[in-house]
Amino acid sequence: IVRALPLLPQLHFATVGPRRAATEASIVEIAAELGVRDRLHLVDPVLPHEVVSFIRAADVSVLPIQNVCLSYYYCMPNKLLESVFAGIPVAVADLLEMRRFVTKYQCGLVMDQTNPQSIANTIASIFANRREFVVSGEKLKELSAAYSWTAQADRLRDIYRDLLEKKQQVRPCKPGCLADD
């Protein structure tokens, strides 16, 4: 993203979250070399229940997760949902679940997360057409019903309840018996 900043002269880039000294030093150095240090802002984390209201003023949320393992390839990060719930269009890495989500809900665009030009083009396109990607009305209600913490908590409780019921139905195996006995 920092390498894409020179291609987006009207925009600033802010990160919100844990501050890791080595990472911070690296991106500050890159920003300084590219002449965009004044448009890079490193913001400390906010409390989880404050994230949506804190980020609401952003124009675009960028999720450039690198495809370094299957876990990342299939990821569905909280930041994606928090951004959409905050009314912010998203530019997401070309990873399976994020691509499916953005395509289904038309809440942003997919980018090549390894290419600064692609990142810049995607952000610029979203910025220019921001209103097209803001989820609201019935679509937002549908999203909330499926992905809000309340909906997820209910699903999690159901899973735990099913597991407990199955555990109670399993009869213990006597010493020396096989599971099929």
Side-chain angles (χ1 to χ4, degrees):
I1 296 171
V2 173
R3 293 188 191 286
L5 269 179
L7 305 169
L8 299 161
Q10 74 280 25
L11 299 179
H12 285 243
F13 172 55
T15 67
V16 180
R19 308 274 301 270
R20 293 180 180 85
T23 302
E24 186 173 309
S26 176
I27 63 174
V28 165
E29 181 181 335
I30 293 167
E33 287 172 8
L34 297 173
V36 296
R37 176 60 185 102
D38 61 325
R39 295 190 291 125
L40 171 65
H41 310 282
L42 306 166
V43 182
D44 289 330
V46 297
L47 296 172
H49 68 276
E50 295 175 347
V51 171
V52 172
S53 62
F54 186 81
I55 65 173
R56 189 164 272 138
D59 293 305
V60 179
S61 185
V62 186
L63 290 90
I65 298 167
Q66 301 297 302
N67 186 11
V68 296
C69 64
L70 281 178
S71 177
Y72 285 16
Y73 180 68
Y74 291 108
C75 75
M76 185 63 178
N78 290 339
K79 297 299 175 243
L80 174 56
L81 297 169
E82 290 165 339
S83 297
V84 173
F85 289 148
I88 306 169
V90 295
V92 301
D94 191 6
L95 302 174
L96 183 65
E97 294 304 327
M98 290 196 302
R99 172 185 280 282
R100 284 182 185 167
F101 183 87
V102 166
T103 301
K104 179 177 180 177
Y105 292 104
Q106 301 172 334
C107 56
L109 296 172
V110 178
M111 65 186 171
D112 176 351
Q113 68 275 14
T114 66
N115 182 312
Q117 185 68 57
S118 176
I119 293 168
N121 291 347
T122 303
I123 292 170
S125 183
I126 292 171
F127 187 73
N129 303 291
R130 187 177 191 284
R131 292 184 189 270
E132 292 178 28
F133 302 109
V134 174
V135 178
S136 61
E138 288 303 313
K139 198 175 353 176
L140 186 57
K141 286 180 186 174
E142 177 187 340
L143 262 169
S144 291
Y147 294 101
S148 70
W149 171 243
T150 304
Q152 294 300 310
D154 289 342
R155 291 180 67 195
L156 191 56
R157 275 192 291 274
D158 291 344
I159 290 168
Y160 284 139
R161 188 174 16 263
D162 288 348
L163 288 172
L164 286 171
E165 288 173 7
K166 287 178 183 173
K167 183 179 178 185
Q168 291 171 356
Q169 293 171 3
V170 175
R171 69 175 213 270
C173 187
K174 297 175 187 172
C177 75
L178 299 175
D180 293 8
D181 287 352

